[in-house]
PDB file of all heavy atoms in Angstrom:
ATOM      1  N   THR A 937     -10.987   6.378   4.911  1.00 82.00           N
ATOM      2  CA  THR A 937     -12.163   5.692   4.340  1.00 82.00           C
ATOM      3  C   THR A 937     -11.982   4.176   4.319  1.00 82.00           C
ATOM      4  O   THR A 937     -12.920   3.445   4.044  1.00 82.00           O
ATOM      5  CB  THR A 937     -12.417   6.159   2.905  1.00 82.00           C
ATOM      6  OG1 THR A 937     -11.299   5.801   2.087  1.00 82.00           O
ATOM      7  CG2 THR A 937     -12.651   7.666   2.857  1.00 82.00           C
ATOM      8  N   PHE A 938     -10.742   3.704   4.567  1.00 83.00           N
ATOM      9  CA  PHE A 938     -10.405   2.274   4.472  1.00 83.00           C
ATOM     10  C   PHE A 938     -10.601   1.744   3.066  1.00 83.00           C
ATOM     11  O   PHE A 938     -10.868   0.563   2.874  1.00 83.00           O
ATOM     12  CB  PHE A 938     -11.158   1.440   5.495  1.00 83.00           C
ATOM     13  CG  PHE A 938     -10.809   1.778   6.911  1.00 83.00           C
ATOM     14  CD1 PHE A 938     -11.675   2.556   7.678  1.00 83.00           C
ATOM     15  CD2 PHE A 938      -9.618   1.345   7.460  1.00 83.00           C
ATOM     16  CE1 PHE A 938     -11.339   2.880   8.971  1.00 83.00           C
ATOM     17  CE2 PHE A 938      -9.296   1.687   8.761  1.00 83.00           C
ATOM     18  CZ  PHE A 938     -10.153   2.454   9.532  1.00 83.00           C
ATOM     19  N   LEU A 939     -10.463   2.621   2.070  1.00 88.00           N
ATOM     20  CA  LEU A 939     -10.607   2.225   0.678  1.00 88.00           C
ATOM     21  C   LEU A 939      -9.350   2.616  -0.113  1.00 88.00           C
ATOM     22  O   LEU A 939      -8.749   3.654   0.173  1.00 88.00           O
ATOM     23  CB  LEU A 939     -11.808   2.929   0.034  1.00 88.00           C
ATOM     24  CG  LEU A 939     -13.176   2.649   0.615  1.00 88.00           C
ATOM     25  CD1 LEU A 939     -14.223   3.554  -0.044  1.00 88.00           C
ATOM     26  CD2 LEU A 939     -13.539   1.181   0.413  1.00 88.00           C
ATOM     27  N   PRO A 940      -9.003   1.845  -1.106  1.00 91.00           N
ATOM     28  CA  PRO A 940      -7.915   2.288  -1.996  1.00 91.00           C
ATOM     29  C   PRO A 940      -8.410   3.443  -2.856  1.00 91.00           C
ATOM     30  O   PRO A 940      -9.570   3.463  -3.280  1.00 91.00           O
ATOM     31  CB  PRO A 940      -7.606   1.050  -2.835  1.00 91.00           C
ATOM     32  CG  PRO A 940      -8.819   0.194  -2.751  1.00 91.00           C
ATOM     33  CD  PRO A 940      -9.518   0.531  -1.466  1.00 91.00           C
ATOM     34  N   GLN A 941      -7.539   4.424  -3.073  1.00 90.00           N
ATOM     35  CA  GLN A 941      -7.881   5.616  -3.852  1.00 90.00           C
ATOM     36  C   GLN A 941      -6.790   5.884  -4.881  1.00 90.00           C
ATOM     37  O   GLN A 941      -5.639   5.522  -4.680  1.00 90.00           O
ATOM     38  CB  GLN A 941      -8.021   6.846  -2.938  1.00 90.00           C
ATOM     39  CG  GLN A 941      -9.009   6.715  -1.829  1.00 90.00           C
ATOM     40  CD  GLN A 941     -10.445   6.719  -2.318  1.00 90.00           C
ATOM     41  OE1 GLN A 941     -10.734   7.279  -3.379  1.00 90.00           O
ATOM     42  NE2 GLN A 941     -11.347   6.107  -1.571  1.00 90.00           N
ATOM     43  N   ASN A 942      -7.149   6.588  -5.929  1.00 92.00           N
ATOM     44  CA  ASN A 942      -6.154   7.076  -6.886  1.00 92.00           C
ATOM     45  C   ASN A 942      -5.634   8.426  -6.400  1.00 92.00           C
ATOM     46  O   ASN A 942      -6.415   9.281  -6.032  1.00 92.00           O
ATOM     47  CB  ASN A 942      -6.735   7.249  -8.286  1.00 92.00           C
ATOM     48  CG  ASN A 942      -6.941   5.951  -9.006  1.00 92.00           C
ATOM     49  OD1 ASN A 942      -8.074   5.555  -9.260  1.00 92.00           O
ATOM     50  ND2 ASN A 942      -5.856   5.274  -9.355  1.00 92.00           N
ATOM     51  N   ILE A 943      -4.315   8.580  -6.448  1.00 87.00           N
ATOM     52  CA  ILE A 943      -3.693   9.893  -6.229  1.00 87.00           C
ATOM     53  C   ILE A 943      -3.410  10.419  -7.616  1.00 87.00           C
ATOM     54  O   ILE A 943      -2.918   9.702  -8.490  1.00 87.00           O
ATOM     55  CB  ILE A 943      -2.375   9.743  -5.473  1.00 87.00           C
ATOM     56  CG1 ILE A 943      -2.642   9.237  -4.054  1.00 87.00           C
ATOM     57  CG2 ILE A 943      -1.614  11.038  -5.421  1.00 87.00           C
ATOM     58  CD1 ILE A 943      -1.388   8.972  -3.275  1.00 87.00           C
ATOM     59  N   GLY A 944      -3.741  11.662  -7.853  1.00 87.00           N
ATOM     60  CA  GLY A 944      -3.575  12.214  -9.216  1.00 87.00           C
ATOM     61  C   GLY A 944      -2.196  12.016  -9.771  1.00 87.00           C
ATOM     62  O   GLY A 944      -1.978  11.366 -10.789  1.00 87.00           O
ATOM     63  N   LYS A 945      -1.189  12.565  -9.082  1.00 94.00           N
ATOM     64  CA  LYS A 945       0.185  12.477  -9.572  1.00 94.00           C
ATOM     65  C   LYS A 945       1.105  12.260  -8.379  1.00 94.00           C
ATOM     66  O   LYS A 945       0.820  12.686  -7.267  1.00 94.00           O
ATOM     67  CB  LYS A 945       0.599  13.746 -10.298  1.00 94.00           C
ATOM     68  CG  LYS A 945      -0.237  14.023 -11.529  1.00 94.00           C
ATOM     69  CD  LYS A 945       0.481  14.953 -12.488  1.00 94.00           C
ATOM     70  CE  LYS A 945      -0.337  15.208 -13.730  1.00 94.00           C
ATOM     71  NZ  LYS A 945      -0.501  14.079 -14.588  1.00 94.00           N
ATOM     72  N   ALA A 946       2.236  11.600  -8.638  1.00 95.00           N
ATOM     73  CA  ALA A 946       3.239  11.360  -7.614  1.00 95.00           C
ATOM     74  C   ALA A 946       4.601  11.255  -8.285  1.00 95.00           C
ATOM     75  O   ALA A 946       4.687  11.003  -9.474  1.00 95.00           O
ATOM     76  CB  ALA A 946       2.905  10.089  -6.829  1.00 95.00           C
ATOM     77  N   THR A 947       5.640  11.431  -7.476  1.00 96.00           N
ATOM     78  CA  THR A 947       7.005  11.290  -7.995  1.00 96.00           C
ATOM     79  C   THR A 947       7.803  10.411  -7.030  1.00 96.00           C
ATOM     80  O   THR A 947       7.499  10.355  -5.833  1.00 96.00           O
ATOM     81  CB  THR A 947       7.735  12.643  -8.141  1.00 96.00           C
ATOM     82  OG1 THR A 947       7.799  13.256  -6.847  1.00 96.00           O
ATOM     83  CG2 THR A 947       7.029  13.550  -9.107  1.00 96.00           C
ATOM     84  N   SER A 948       8.797   9.764  -7.558  1.00 96.00           N
ATOM     85  CA  SER A 948       9.730   8.984  -6.766  1.00 96.00           C
ATOM     86  C   SER A 948      11.097   9.170  -7.419  1.00 96.00           C
ATOM     87  O   SER A 948      11.300   8.790  -8.574  1.00 96.00           O
ATOM     88  CB  SER A 948       9.313   7.505  -6.808  1.00 96.00           C
ATOM     89  OG  SER A 948      10.269   6.714  -6.141  1.00 96.00           O
ATOM     90  N   LYS A 949      11.982   9.830  -6.681  1.00 97.00           N
ATOM     91  CA  LYS A 949      13.324  10.049  -7.244  1.00 97.00           C
ATOM     92  C   LYS A 949      14.353   9.888  -6.139  1.00 97.00           C
ATOM     93  O   LYS A 949      14.065  10.096  -4.962  1.00 97.00           O
ATOM     94  CB  LYS A 949      13.433  11.406  -7.905  1.00 97.00           C
ATOM     95  CG  LYS A 949      13.148  12.577  -7.008  1.00 97.00           C
ATOM     96  CD  LYS A 949      13.142  13.869  -7.780  1.00 97.00           C
ATOM     97  CE  LYS A 949      12.655  15.010  -6.888  1.00 97.00           C
ATOM     98  NZ  LYS A 949      12.542  16.249  -7.608  1.00 97.00           N
ATOM     99  N   GLY A 950      15.546   9.505  -6.553  1.00 98.00           N
ATOM    100  CA  GLY A 950      16.597   9.343  -5.542  1.00 98.00           C
ATOM    101  C   GLY A 950      17.806   8.648  -6.092  1.00 98.00           C
ATOM    102  O   GLY A 950      18.038   8.642  -7.315  1.00 98.00           O
ATOM    103  N   THR A 951      18.574   8.023  -5.196  1.00 98.00           N
ATOM    104  CA  THR A 951      19.797   7.347  -5.583  1.00 98.00           C
ATOM    105  C   THR A 951      19.856   5.953  -4.976  1.00 98.00           C
ATOM    106  O   THR A 951      19.320   5.713  -3.909  1.00 98.00           O
ATOM    107  CB  THR A 951      21.048   8.129  -5.129  1.00 98.00           C
ATOM    108  OG1 THR A 951      21.003   8.289  -3.706  1.00 98.00           O
ATOM    109  CG2 THR A 951      21.143   9.477  -5.802  1.00 98.00           C
ATOM    110  N   GLU A 952      20.522   5.081  -5.696  1.00 98.00           N
ATOM    111  CA  GLU A 952      20.873   3.771  -5.203  1.00 98.00           C
ATOM    112  C   GLU A 952      22.375   3.653  -5.264  1.00 98.00           C
ATOM    113  O   GLU A 952      22.967   3.907  -6.322  1.00 98.00           O
ATOM    114  CB  GLU A 952      20.229   2.676  -6.053  1.00 98.00           C
ATOM    115  CG  GLU A 952      18.719   2.686  -5.982  1.00 98.00           C
ATOM    116  CD  GLU A 952      18.081   1.677  -6.924  1.00 98.00           C
ATOM    117  OE1 GLU A 952      18.722   1.233  -7.898  1.00 98.00           O
ATOM    118  OE2 GLU A 952      16.903   1.335  -6.676  1.00 98.00           O
ATOM    119  N   THR A 953      23.002   3.304  -4.130  1.00 98.00           N
ATOM    120  CA  THR A 953      24.453   3.155  -4.101  1.00 98.00           C
ATOM    121  C   THR A 953      24.784   1.770  -3.571  1.00 98.00           C
ATOM    122  O   THR A 953      23.985   1.176  -2.818  1.00 98.00           O
ATOM    123  CB  THR A 953      25.126   4.199  -3.215  1.00 98.00           C
ATOM    124  OG1 THR A 953      24.560   4.141  -1.917  1.00 98.00           O
ATOM    125  CG2 THR A 953      24.939   5.595  -3.778  1.00 98.00           C
ATOM    126  N   TYR A 954      25.927   1.238  -3.963  1.00 98.00           N
ATOM    127  CA  TYR A 954      26.338  -0.053  -3.452  1.00 98.00           C
ATOM    128  C   TYR A 954      27.841  -0.153  -3.433  1.00 98.00           C
ATOM    129  O   TYR A 954      28.560   0.572  -4.124  1.00 98.00           O
ATOM    130  CB  TYR A 954      25.761  -1.205  -4.291  1.00 98.00           C
ATOM    131  CG  TYR A 954      26.497  -1.439  -5.586  1.00 98.00           C
ATOM    132  CD1 TYR A 954      27.543  -2.350  -5.637  1.00 98.00           C
ATOM    133  CD2 TYR A 954      26.189  -0.727  -6.741  1.00 98.00           C
ATOM    134  CE1 TYR A 954      28.243  -2.562  -6.820  1.00 98.00           C
ATOM    135  CE2 TYR A 954      26.877  -0.935  -7.902  1.00 98.00           C
ATOM    136  CZ  TYR A 954      27.903  -1.855  -7.955  1.00 98.00           C
ATOM    137  OH  TYR A 954      28.613  -2.047  -9.101  1.00 98.00           O
ATOM    138  N   ILE A 955      28.321  -1.063  -2.594  1.00 98.00           N
ATOM    139  CA  ILE A 955      29.730  -1.459  -2.586  1.00 98.00           C
ATOM    140  C   ILE A 955      29.764  -2.955  -2.340  1.00 98.00           C
ATOM    141  O   ILE A 955      29.001  -3.484  -1.513  1.00 98.00           O
ATOM    142  CB  ILE A 955      30.543  -0.676  -1.547  1.00 98.00           C
ATOM    143  CG1 ILE A 955      32.021  -0.980  -1.680  1.00 98.00           C
ATOM    144  CG2 ILE A 955      30.035  -0.907  -0.143  1.00 98.00           C
ATOM    145  CD1 ILE A 955      32.931  -0.020  -0.946  1.00 98.00           C
ATOM    146  N   LYS A 956      30.594  -3.654  -3.074  1.00 97.00           N
ATOM    147  CA  LYS A 956      30.727  -5.093  -2.911  1.00 97.00           C
ATOM    148  C   LYS A 956      32.202  -5.456  -2.909  1.00 97.00           C
ATOM    149  O   LYS A 956      32.960  -5.016  -3.771  1.00 97.00           O
ATOM    150  CB  LYS A 956      30.036  -5.857  -4.042  1.00 97.00           C
ATOM    151  CG  LYS A 956      30.112  -7.376  -3.846  1.00 97.00           C
ATOM    152  CD  LYS A 956      29.272  -8.160  -4.777  1.00 97.00           C
ATOM    153  CE  LYS A 956      29.405  -9.643  -4.402  1.00 97.00           C
ATOM    154  NZ  LYS A 956      28.509 -10.514  -5.105  1.00 97.00           N
ATOM    155  N   VAL A 957      32.585  -6.231  -1.891  1.00 97.00           N
ATOM    156  CA  VAL A 957      33.961  -6.667  -1.713  1.00 97.00           C
ATOM    157  C   VAL A 957      34.004  -8.179  -1.798  1.00 97.00           C
ATOM    158  O   VAL A 957      33.144  -8.867  -1.222  1.00 97.00           O
ATOM    159  CB  VAL A 957      34.507  -6.223  -0.338  1.00 97.00           C
ATOM    160  CG1 VAL A 957      35.940  -6.679  -0.134  1.00 97.00           C
ATOM    161  CG2 VAL A 957      34.391  -4.738  -0.169  1.00 97.00           C
ATOM    162  N   GLN A 958      34.945  -8.710  -2.526  1.00 93.00           N
ATOM    163  CA  GLN A 958      35.144 -10.146  -2.632  1.00 93.00           C
ATOM    164  C   GLN A 958      36.585 -10.448  -2.174  1.00 93.00           C
ATOM    165  O   GLN A 958      37.489 -10.525  -3.007  1.00 93.00           O
ATOM    166  CB  GLN A 958      34.892 -10.640  -4.062  1.00 93.00           C
ATOM    167  CG  GLN A 958      34.906 -12.128  -4.171  1.00 93.00           C
ATOM    168  CD  GLN A 958      33.723 -12.626  -4.967  1.00 93.00           C
ATOM    169  OE1 GLN A 958      33.087 -11.886  -5.689  1.00 93.00           O
ATOM    170  NE2 GLN A 958      33.441 -13.899  -4.825  1.00 93.00           N
ATOM    171  N   PRO A 959      36.783 -10.624  -0.840  1.00 91.00           N
ATOM    172  CA  PRO A 959      38.156 -10.820  -0.349  1.00 91.00           C
ATOM    173  C   PRO A 959      38.784 -12.129  -0.811  1.00 91.00           C
ATOM    174  O   PRO A 959      39.980 -12.204  -1.007  1.00 91.00           O
ATOM    175  CB  PRO A 959      38.001 -10.802   1.170  1.00 91.00           C
ATOM    176  CG  PRO A 959      36.551 -11.031   1.455  1.00 91.00           C
ATOM    177  CD  PRO A 959      35.802 -10.599   0.231  1.00 91.00           C
TER     178      PRO A 959
END
Side-chain angles (χ1 to χ4, degrees):
T937 64
F938 296 102
L939 298 174
Q941 303 289 334
N942 284 113
I943 294 176
K945 298 201 180 291
T947 60
S948 175
K949 59 185 172 184
T951 58
E952 296 175 339
T953 56
Y954 78 92
I955 187 166
K956 182 170 183 173
V957 179
Q958 187 133 18

